[in-house]
Coordinates of all heavy atoms in Angstrom, one line a residue:
Y217 N -3.2 12.2 8.1 CA -4.2 11.6 8.9 C -5.0 10.7 8.0 O -5.5 11.1 7.0 CB -5.1 12.7 9.5 CG -6.1 12.2 10.6 CD1 -5.9 12.7 11.9 CD2 -7.1 11.4 10.3 CE1 -6.8 12.3 12.9 CE2 -8.0 11.0 11.3 CZ -7.8 11.5 12.6 OH -8.7 11.1 13.6
V218 N -5.0 9.4 8.4 CA -5.8 8.4 7.7 C -6.9 7.8 8.5 O -6.6 7.4 9.7 CB -4.8 7.2 7.2 CG1 -5.6 6.2 6.4 CG2 -3.6 7.7 6.5
S219 N -8.1 7.8 8.0 CA -9.2 7.3 8.8 C -9.5 5.9 8.5 O -9.4 5.4 7.4 CB -10.5 8.2 8.4 OG -10.3 9.5 8.8
K220 N -9.8 5.1 9.5 CA -10.2 3.7 9.4 C -11.7 3.7 8.9 O -12.5 4.5 9.3 CB -10.1 3.0 10.7 CG -8.6 2.9 11.2 CD -8.6 2.2 12.6 CE -7.2 2.1 13.2 NZ -7.2 1.4 14.5
P221 N -12.0 2.7 8.1 CA -11.2 1.6 7.6 C -10.4 2.2 6.4 O -10.8 3.1 5.7 CB -12.2 0.5 7.1 CG -13.4 1.3 6.8 CD -13.5 2.5 7.8
F222 N -9.2 1.6 6.1 CA -8.4 2.0 5.0 C -7.8 0.8 4.3 O -7.8 -0.3 4.9 CB -7.3 3.0 5.5 CG -6.5 2.4 6.6 CD1 -5.6 1.4 6.5 CD2 -6.7 2.9 7.9 CE1 -4.8 0.9 7.5 CE2 -6.0 2.4 9.0 CZ -5.1 1.4 8.8
G223 N -7.3 1.0 3.1 CA -6.7 -0.1 2.4 C -5.2 0.1 2.5 O -4.7 1.2 2.7
V224 N -4.4 -1.0 2.4 CA -3.0 -0.9 2.5 C -2.4 0.0 1.4 O -1.5 0.8 1.7 CB -2.3 -2.3 2.3 CG1 -0.8 -2.2 2.2 CG2 -2.8 -3.2 3.5
R225 N -2.9 0.0 0.2 CA -2.4 0.9 -0.8 C -2.6 2.3 -0.5 O -1.7 3.2 -0.9 CB -3.0 0.5 -2.2 CG -2.4 -0.7 -2.8 CD -2.8 -0.8 -4.3 NE -2.3 0.3 -5.1 CZ -1.0 0.3 -5.6 NH1 -0.2 -0.7 -5.3 NH2 -0.6 1.3 -6.3
E226 N -3.7 2.7 0.2 CA -3.8 4.1 0.6 C -2.8 4.5 1.5 O -2.2 5.6 1.4 CB -5.2 4.3 1.2 CG -5.4 5.7 1.7 CD -6.7 5.9 2.5 OE1 -7.5 5.0 2.6 OE2 -7.0 7.1 2.9
V227 N -2.5 3.6 2.5 CA -1.4 4.0 3.5 C -0.1 4.1 2.8 O 0.7 5.0 3.1 CB -1.4 2.9 4.6 CG1 -0.2 3.2 5.6 CG2 -2.7 2.9 5.3
I228 N 0.2 3.2 1.9 CA 1.5 3.2 1.1 C 1.6 4.5 0.4 O 2.6 5.2 0.4 CB 1.6 2.0 0.2 CG1 1.6 0.7 0.9 CG2 2.9 2.2 -0.7 CD1 2.9 0.4 1.7
A229 N 0.5 4.9 -0.3 CA 0.5 6.1 -1.1 C 0.8 7.3 -0.2 O 1.5 8.3 -0.5 CB -0.8 6.3 -1.8
R230 N 0.1 7.3 1.0 CA 0.3 8.5 1.9 C 1.7 8.5 2.5 O 2.3 9.6 2.7 CB -0.8 8.4 3.0 CG -2.2 8.8 2.5 CD -3.2 8.7 3.7 NE -4.5 9.0 3.2 CZ -5.1 10.2 3.2 NH1 -4.3 11.2 3.7 NH2 -6.3 10.4 2.8
I231 N 2.3 7.4 2.8 CA 3.7 7.3 3.2 C 4.6 7.9 2.2 O 5.4 8.8 2.5 CB 4.1 5.9 3.6 CG1 3.4 5.4 4.8 CG2 5.6 5.8 3.7 CD1 3.7 3.9 5.2
R232 N 4.4 7.5 1.0 CA 5.3 8.0 -0.1 C 5.1 9.5 -0.3 O 6.1 10.3 -0.5 CB 5.0 7.2 -1.4 CG 5.5 5.8 -1.3 CD 5.1 5.0 -2.6 NE 5.8 3.7 -2.5 CZ 5.4 2.7 -3.4 NH1 4.5 2.9 -4.3 NH2 6.1 1.5 -3.3
A233 N 3.8 10.0 -0.2 CA 3.6 11.4 -0.4 C 4.2 12.2 0.7 O 4.8 13.3 0.5 CB 2.1 11.7 -0.5
V234 N 4.1 11.7 1.9 CA 4.7 12.4 3.1 C 6.2 12.5 2.9 O 6.8 13.5 3.1 CB 4.3 11.8 4.4 CG1 5.2 12.3 5.6 CG2 2.8 12.1 4.7
M235 N 6.8 11.4 2.6 CA 8.3 11.3 2.5 C 8.8 12.2 1.3 O 9.8 12.8 1.4 CB 8.7 9.9 2.3 CG 8.4 9.0 3.4 SD 9.0 9.6 5.0 CE 10.8 9.5 4.8
R236 N 8.0 12.3 0.3 CA 8.4 13.2 -0.8 C 8.4 14.7 -0.3 O 9.2 15.5 -0.7 CB 7.4 13.1 -2.0 CG 7.7 11.8 -2.9 CD 7.0 12.0 -4.2 NE 5.6 12.0 -4.1 CZ 4.8 10.9 -4.1 NH1 5.3 9.7 -4.3 NH2 3.5 11.0 -4.0
R237 N 7.4 15.0 0.5 CA 7.3 16.4 1.0 C 8.4 16.7 2.0 O 9.0 17.8 1.9 CB 5.9 16.6 1.7 CG 4.8 16.6 0.8 CD 3.6 17.3 1.4 NE 3.2 16.8 2.7 CZ 2.3 15.8 2.9 NH1 1.7 15.3 1.8 NH2 2.0 15.3 4.1
V238 N 8.7 15.8 2.9 CA 9.6 16.1 4.0 C 11.1 15.8 3.6 O 12.0 16.4 4.1 CB 9.3 15.3 5.3 CG1 7.9 15.7 5.8 CG2 9.4 13.8 5.1
R239 N 11.3 14.9 2.6 CA 12.6 14.6 2.2 C 12.7 14.5 0.7 O 12.9 13.5 0.1 CB 13.1 13.3 2.8 CG 13.2 13.3 4.3 CD 13.6 12.0 4.9 NE 13.4 12.0 6.4 CZ 13.6 10.9 7.1 NH1 13.9 9.8 6.6 NH2 13.5 11.0 8.4
P240 N 12.4 15.7 0.0 CA 12.3 15.6 -1.5 C 13.6 15.2 -2.1 O 13.5 14.6 -3.2 CB 12.0 17.1 -1.8 CG 12.4 17.9 -0.6 CD 12.2 17.0 0.5
E241 N 14.7 15.5 -1.5 CA 16.0 15.1 -2.2 C 16.2 13.6 -2.3 O 16.9 13.1 -3.1 CB 17.2 15.7 -1.4 CG 17.5 15.1 0.0 CD 16.5 15.6 1.0 OE1 15.6 16.5 0.7 OE2 16.6 15.1 2.2
E242 N 15.5 12.8 -1.4 CA 15.7 11.4 -1.5 C 14.7 10.7 -2.4 O 14.7 9.5 -2.6 CB 15.4 10.8 -0.1 CG 16.5 11.3 0.9 CD 16.2 10.7 2.3 OE1 15.3 9.8 2.4 OE2 16.9 11.1 3.3
H243 N 13.8 11.5 -3.0 CA 12.7 10.9 -3.8 C 12.6 11.5 -5.2 O 11.6 11.4 -5.9 CB 11.3 11.1 -3.1 CG 11.2 10.3 -1.8 ND1 10.7 9.1 -1.7 CD2 11.7 10.7 -0.5 CE1 10.8 8.6 -0.5 NE2 11.4 9.6 0.3
R244 N 13.7 12.1 -5.6 CA 13.8 12.5 -7.0 C 14.1 11.3 -7.9 O 15.0 10.5 -7.6 CB 14.9 13.5 -7.2 CG 14.6 14.8 -6.5 CD 15.6 15.9 -6.9 NE 15.4 17.1 -6.1 CZ 16.3 17.7 -5.3 NH1 17.4 17.1 -5.1 NH2 16.0 18.8 -4.7
T245 N 13.4 11.1 -8.9 CA 13.6 10.0 -9.8 C 13.9 10.5 -11.2 O 13.6 11.6 -11.6 CB 12.3 9.1 -9.9 OG1 11.2 9.8 -10.4 CG2 12.0 8.6 -8.5
G246 N 14.5 9.6 -12.0 CA 14.8 9.9 -13.4 C 13.7 9.8 -14.3 O 13.8 10.1 -15.5
G247 N 12.5 9.4 -13.9 CA 11.4 9.3 -14.8 C 10.6 8.1 -14.5 O 10.8 7.4 -13.5
P248 N 9.7 7.7 -15.4 CA 8.9 6.5 -15.3 C 9.7 5.2 -15.2 O 10.8 5.2 -15.7 CB 8.0 6.5 -16.5 CG 8.1 7.9 -17.1 CD 9.4 8.4 -16.7
D249 N 9.2 4.2 -14.5 CA 9.8 2.9 -14.4 C 9.6 2.2 -15.7 O 8.5 2.2 -16.2 CB 9.3 2.1 -13.2 CG 9.5 2.8 -11.9 OD1 10.7 3.3 -11.8 OD2 8.6 2.8 -11.0
R250 N 10.6 1.5 -16.2 CA 10.5 0.8 -17.5 C 10.5 -0.7 -17.2 O 11.3 -1.2 -16.4 CB 11.7 1.2 -18.4 CG 11.7 0.4 -19.8 CD 12.7 1.0 -20.7 NE 12.3 2.3 -21.1 CZ 11.5 2.6 -22.1 NH1 10.9 1.6 -22.8 NH2 11.2 3.8 -22.5
Y251 N 9.7 -1.4 -17.9 CA 9.6 -2.9 -17.8 C 9.7 -3.4 -19.2 O 8.8 -3.4 -20.0 CB 8.2 -3.3 -17.1 CG 8.1 -2.7 -15.7 CD1 7.5 -1.5 -15.5 CD2 8.7 -3.3 -14.7 CE1 7.4 -0.9 -14.3 CE2 8.6 -2.8 -13.4 CZ 7.9 -1.6 -13.2 OH 7.8 -1.0 -11.9
G252 N 10.9 -3.9 -19.5 CA 11.2 -4.4 -20.8 C 11.3 -3.2 -21.8 O 11.5 -2.1 -21.4
A253 N 11.2 -3.5 -23.1 CA 11.5 -2.5 -24.1 C 10.2 -1.7 -24.4 O 10.3 -0.6 -25.0 CB 12.0 -3.2 -25.4
R254 N 9.0 -2.2 -24.0 CA 7.8 -1.6 -24.5 C 7.0 -0.8 -23.4 O 6.2 0.1 -23.8 CB 7.0 -2.7 -25.1 CG 7.7 -3.4 -26.3 CD 6.7 -4.5 -26.9 NE 5.5 -3.8 -27.4 CZ 4.4 -4.5 -27.7 NH1 4.4 -5.8 -27.5 NH2 3.4 -3.9 -28.2
L255 N 7.1 -1.2 -22.2 CA 6.1 -0.8 -21.2 C 6.8 0.2 -20.2 O 7.9 -0.1 -19.7 CB 5.5 -2.0 -20.4 CG 4.5 -1.6 -19.3 CD1 3.2 -1.1 -19.9 CD2 4.2 -2.9 -18.5
T256 N 6.2 1.3 -19.9 CA 6.6 2.2 -18.8 C 5.4 2.5 -17.9 O 4.3 2.6 -18.3 CB 7.2 3.5 -19.4 OG1 6.2 4.2 -20.1 CG2 8.4 3.3 -20.2
V257 N 5.7 2.6 -16.6 CA 4.7 3.0 -15.6 C 5.2 4.2 -14.9 O 6.3 4.2 -14.2 CB 4.5 1.8 -14.6 CG1 3.5 2.3 -13.5 CG2 4.0 0.6 -15.3
D258 N 4.5 5.3 -15.0 CA 4.8 6.6 -14.3 C 4.0 6.6 -13.1 O 2.8 7.0 -13.1 CB 4.5 7.7 -15.3 CG 5.0 9.1 -14.7 OD1 5.2 9.1 -13.5 OD2 5.1 10.0 -15.5
R259 N 4.6 6.3 -11.9 CA 3.8 6.2 -10.7 C 3.5 7.6 -10.2 O 2.5 7.8 -9.5 CB 4.6 5.4 -9.7 CG 4.6 3.9 -9.9 CD 5.4 3.1 -8.9 NE 5.1 1.7 -9.0 CZ 5.5 0.9 -9.9 NH1 6.3 1.3 -10.9 NH2 5.1 -0.4 -9.9
K260 N 4.3 8.6 -10.5 CA 4.0 9.9 -10.0 C 2.8 10.5 -10.7 O 1.9 11.1 -10.1 CB 5.2 10.8 -10.3 CG 5.1 12.2 -9.7 CD 6.3 13.0 -9.9 CE 6.2 14.4 -9.3 NZ 7.4 15.2 -9.4
A261 N 2.6 10.2 -12.0 CA 1.5 10.7 -12.7 C 0.4 9.7 -12.9 O -0.7 10.0 -13.4 CB 1.9 11.1 -14.1
A262 N 0.6 8.4 -12.4 CA -0.3 7.3 -12.5 C -0.7 7.1 -14.0 O -1.9 7.0 -14.3 CB -1.6 7.6 -11.7

Side-chain angles (χ1 to χ4, degrees):
Y217 191 113
V218 183
S219 296
K220 297 178 183 179
F222 50 75
V224 172
R225 282 193 63 83
E226 178 186 358
V227 176
I228 298 291
R230 288 180 181 269
I231 288 175
R232 289 175 173 168
V234 165
M235 297 307 292
R236 282 196 298 268
R237 290 200 305 268
V238 301
R239 299 178 188 174
E241 69 283 355
E242 297 180 9
H243 293 268
R244 294 189 183 122
T245 62
D249 296 321
R250 179 171 291 277
Y251 300 93
R254 303 181 59 196
L255 181 68
T256 59
V257 178
D258 186 341
R259 285 176 165 79
K260 185 174 182 180

